[in-house]
Amino acid sequence: MKRHIKNLDTFRAIAAIVVMIGHIELFRLQKFGSEFFYFMPSGHTAVMLFFVISGFLITYLLTQEKERYGQISLKAFYLRRIFRIWPVYYLVLLISAFFIDSLSWSNVLYAVTILPNVSHSIGCGWSGSPQIWSIGVENLFYIFFPFVIMFIREERIPMLLILFIVCYALLPHFIAFINIRTWQNETLEMINNSFFYNNKFDSLAIGCLIGYLYAKNHTWLKYLYNRYVFFVCLFVSIVCWFGNIETKHFNDEFMSVLFAVVILNVCTNNNLKINIENSVTKFLGKISYGIYMYHWIVLLFTFKYLPIKNDILSTTLLYIFVLLTTILIAWLSYNTFEKYFLNIKKQFER
């Protein structure tokens, strides 16, 4: 079974670097009240790119596993996820706890049970590494998603995923509509907005949809494997993301669809023959999980212990230090700590 898909590492690298740069600017904004780069792609949207990549790859692998063996091993699937995600996750929890001034039992409970997305949604996220909310989203989504591939009839899966995407995207608006016309509860409004903003299961499902279509060589691909559709989606995604142009509603879903079409064509459309991989992006893509997980701790250390000034030279040195330090730590982690668990994970690959 093909486990590596060309060009996917480059998309991971882009998402990881954008998230890290976005958080550097967030720290600068909190300290100085101003940003160095006024036009930066959204780090939150970069997480949507991560979700689409994850949904695409995992659905492709699960579907191929069912095609090859006639069934999916839930035990093997969950153990693969555990050995890939949990070691770094819990290590980051442990290290980042030293940067948190006060911890509540509920805060710790949500984090330890890998539900930081829930605590993040109610305003008490893990401040030592708040970006781990996305790990909670994926962890929760993938507890249930394999059952879709296992038990839903093949011809119904695409429409089921589309139905889920549409209903999930509309649900917060429906709840808000009811709340405004009945209870007018401000707490419910806050939780509703925050929960759906911080739990983008529909973006994951969009990735799952293209992963399934690709794995099954579905007839719908002929509409998506179209160079005009691809170039329009590529152009619009770049302009909107890097130009900070957002729709008032459904922006995450809109960007996720664009990302999905671009990924599908760049990574699987042999007629386009696109290659965006090189040694640098493959390297960064391989350690992108570590970059995503460790960079907030690097930022906390940097802004707490190093002299940071609001000038061009200091900001340039800040960027160089944070980027190189994070990449170095992610590389060391991957080749030592993570590799031990990755070797165990390989025992459960089919």
Side-chain angles (χ1 to χ4, degrees):
M1 185 190 306
K2 182 173 71 171
R3 305 194 73 85
H4 177 79
I5 297 177
K6 68 174 185 177
N7 296 323
L8 213 53
D9 279 337
T10 299
F11 286 110
R12 290 193 184 101
I14 293 171
I17 297 301
V18 168
V19 168
M20 181 162 48
I21 292 175
H23 286 157
I24 293 175
E25 288 299 301
L26 178 62
F27 271 71
R28 289 191 76 263
L29 182 63
Q30 292 173 345
K31 184 176 180 64
F32 302 116
S34 63
E35 297 174 295
F36 185 70
F37 291 111
Y38 293 101
F39 297 98
M40 280 298 303
S42 164
H44 177 79
T45 302
V47 178
M48 299 308 104
L49 176 56
F50 267 130
F51 284 161
V52 174
I53 293 170
S54 179
F56 167 67
L57 182 59
I58 285 182
T59 304
Y60 167 75
L61 293 175
L62 285 175
T63 306
Q64 287 290 291
E65 179 181 340
K66 186 178 180 182
E67 285 274 305
R68 186 172 182 179
Y69 299 102
Q71 60 182 357
I72 292 172
S73 171
L74 286 176
K75 176 184 176 181
F77 172 75
Y78 292 135
L79 286 173
R80 288 195 301 269
R81 297 294 297 169
I82 287 171
F83 285 115
R84 181 65 188 105
I85 302 299
W86 288 19
V88 171
Y89 176 87
Y90 283 112
L91 178 61
V92 166
L93 277 189
L94 180 63
I95 297 172
S96 61
F98 291 99
F99 291 91
I100 301 176
D101 294 330
S102 62
L103 286 171
S104 66
W105 282 109
S106 61
N107 190 262
V108 172
L109 181 63
Y110 281 125
V112 170
T113 55
I114 318 188
L115 291 172
N117 53 312
V118 177
S119 59
H120 194 65
S121 297
I122 58 178
C124 60
W126 189 261
S127 61
S129 281
Q131 81 283 7
I132 64 173
W133 70 270
S134 66
I135 307 302
V137 174
E138 290 200 21
N139 186 69
L140 195 58
F141 185 83
Y142 290 128
I143 289 175
F144 304 103
F145 180 70
F147 294 98
V148 174
I149 305 297
M150 290 175 64
F151 299 118
I152 302 299
R153 289 173 57 179
E154 291 183 356
E155 64 273 16
R156 294 180 179 176
I157 290 178
M159 290 306 301
L160 178 65
L161 285 171
I162 291 174
L163 182 63
F164 173 81
I165 293 164
V166 172
C167 290
Y168 190 86
L170 292 176
L171 186 56
H173 300 278
F174 176 75
I175 294 174
F177 179 85
I178 297 298
N179 185 45
I180 289 173
R181 285 156 178 78
T182 54
W183 310 292
Q184 297 182 0
N185 188 303
E186 293 182 2
T187 302
L188 176 60
E189 180 184 5
M190 182 274 294
I191 293 175
N192 180 49
N193 292 336
S194 184
F195 178 83
F196 284 95
Y197 181 77
N198 291 310
N199 291 277
K200 305 307 297 187
F201 298 129
D202 47 357
S203 292
L204 277 162
I206 289 168
C208 294
L209 177 61
I210 61 166
Y212 185 81
L213 296 179
Y214 172 55
K216 300 297 292 185
N217 194 24
H218 200 279
T219 55
W220 290 2
L221 289 178
K222 65 183 178 182
Y223 303 107
L224 298 173
Y225 281 164
N226 181 296
R227 65 176 62 250
Y228 300 107
V229 172
F230 163 65
F231 282 116
V232 167
C233 288
L234 178 63
F235 175 77
V236 174
S237 62
I238 291 174
V239 170
C240 290
W241 192 18
F242 285 80
N244 284 315
I245 301 171
E246 296 185 354
T247 61
K248 185 176 181 180
H249 301 294
F250 310 113
N251 187 72
D252 290 341
E253 292 77 12
F254 174 66
M255 293 301 298
S256 295
V257 170
L258 295 178
F259 288 150
V261 175
V262 171
I263 289 170
L264 183 66
N265 279 275
V266 171
C267 298
T268 71
N269 189 347
N270 294 324
N271 293 327
L272 289 177
K273 297 180 180 178
I274 296 175
N275 182 23
I276 58 173
E277 276 188 342
N278 55 60
S279 58
V280 174
T281 59
K282 289 179 71 174
F283 167 72
L284 293 175
K286 185 172 67 173
I287 64 171
S288 59
Y289 179 49
I291 292 173
Y292 183 79
M293 291 298 288
Y294 293 117
H295 78 275
W296 192 275
I297 296 174
V298 174
L299 281 167
L300 286 173
F301 174 86
T302 302
F303 276 80
K304 185 173 183 178
Y305 295 108
L306 299 183
I308 308 296
K309 298 180 180 179
N310 190 21
D311 56 51
I312 294 177
L313 177 59
S314 181
T315 301
T316 302
L317 293 175
L318 167 67
Y319 265 86
I320 293 173
F321 177 79
V322 172
L323 288 169
L324 292 183
T325 302
T326 302
I327 290 170
L328 176 61
I329 292 172
W331 176 76
L332 290 172
S333 172
Y334 183 85
N335 285 285
T336 54
F337 180 69
E338 292 174 59
K339 188 156 283 187
Y340 172 79
F341 295 99
L342 289 173
N343 288 332
I344 300 176
K345 171 180 172 285
K346 289 180 180 178
Q347 301 174 21
F348 301 99
E349 292 179 354
R350 302 183 73 184

